[in-house]
Amino acid sequence: MLGSLVTSSRRMGGPIGFAGLIAGLVLVLAEVAFGSHAAAHEEHAGSVHPLGAETGGTATRVRLPEVELITADGQPFALSAAGFGDRVVLIDFVYTRCTTICPALSAVMASAHEALSAHLGRDLVLISVSVDPAGDTPEVLRAYAANFEGGPQWIWLTGNQGPVGRVLRAFGLSTGSPDEHPPLLLAGHPAEGRWLRWVGIPAPQAVIDQVETMIRQRPPAGLRASNGKDGKS
């Protein structure tokens, strides 16, 4: 299913292609939500998750654990607030066996990647973390990521169960069965620990708008350092 939707999207080309991919995936999700017999056996069918997310996201705070994960290229990646410097991070949580909400989240990420390409590297990095580290080896994750044609500033991560579990818990996710995880996407400024959280499948433009606002509104580095010394948030 993912392959055919991506193929159709590429034929359409550009941002319209991504929109077509998202629309197709949302139709699949609607089928699940309304109890289609065929979709009842898909991943996530045992849990009820919202299809749409609040437009502006919900404010939350996240303290990143200092752990080492593994990229889809098999390289170590130190996940920490300090490692991101002054950049904004857009992060989602997926697994490659998922055929419903995960491709939809990845399509939202792909739209943001394209629309915000001028900010990538300097101001913004995209992160996708597997919630199934046992099944999603770097090789498997790399093959899945290739469907979305991301660049080096869209980093796909897996790793050992312990470090991945710490990351999931930091973002408010359980470490149980991958099939039961909710559709979750966050945008934040790790240097401040401030994030916006979408539970469900947000409209791509809503995410893009919020990320652009975060990039513009980052406080000066000196002010952040002063706040950190004073213990203020």
Side-chain angles (χ1 to χ4, degrees):
M1 180 183 67
L2 174 59
S4 62
L5 286 169
V6 172
T7 299
S8 298
S9 175
R10 287 174 180 165
R11 286 173 183 162
M12 295 172 71
I16 296 176
F18 282 127
L21 174 59
I22 294 167
L25 289 165
V26 169
L27 286 175
V28 173
L29 289 167
E31 185 180 24
V32 174
F34 284 96
S36 163
H37 176 75
H41 300 289
E42 295 282 353
E43 291 86 352
H44 304 268
S47 302
V48 177
H49 301 305
L51 295 182
E54 291 186 12
T55 300
T58 301
T60 187
R61 296 193 69 84
V62 175
R63 182 183 294 274
L64 290 182
E66 296 188 1
V67 298
E68 185 174 281
L69 301 181
I70 302 171
T71 71
D73 292 323
Q75 300 301 310
F77 183 88
L79 187 75
S80 67
F84 291 116
D86 193 37
R87 291 181 292 177
V88 168
V89 173
L90 181 63
I91 186 168
D92 73 339
F93 301 86
V94 299
Y95 69 109
T96 62
R97 291 184 294 106
C98 170
T99 59
T100 53
I101 65 171
C102 301
L105 282 174
S106 295
V108 173
M109 294 281 283
S111 288
H113 181 275
E114 183 170 12
L116 299 168
S117 60
H119 293 291
L120 291 171
R122 182 186 70 247
D123 303 313
L124 174 67
V125 61
L126 276 63
I127 302 286
S128 290
V129 178
S130 171
V131 300
D132 182 22
D136 287 342
T137 64
E139 294 78 12
V140 170
L141 199 58
R142 184 165 63 250
Y144 178 87
N147 288 300
F148 299 95
E149 299 183 337
Q153 297 304 321
W154 184 355
I155 303 167
W156 297 75
L157 297 173
T158 185
N160 295 323
Q161 292 278 4
V164 170
R166 289 184 61 191
V167 174
L168 298 184
R169 288 190 293 273
F171 283 95
L173 289 170
S174 71
T175 55
S177 170
D179 296 350
E180 297 177 356
H181 86 93
L184 181 64
L185 184 148
L186 298 96
H189 189 220
E192 298 178 277
R194 294 177 178 170
W195 297 74
L196 286 175
R197 174 187 179 105
W198 290 269
V199 179
I201 309 299
Q205 193 59 50
V207 175
I208 291 164
D209 290 345
Q210 291 293 346
V211 170
E212 288 181 325
T213 297
M214 283 187 176
I215 290 172
R216 289 196 307 269
Q217 293 183 348
R218 289 172 296 176
L223 178 59
R224 290 198 312 276
S226 174
N227 286 343
K229 290 177 182 178
D230 295 337
K232 299 176 183 178
S233 58

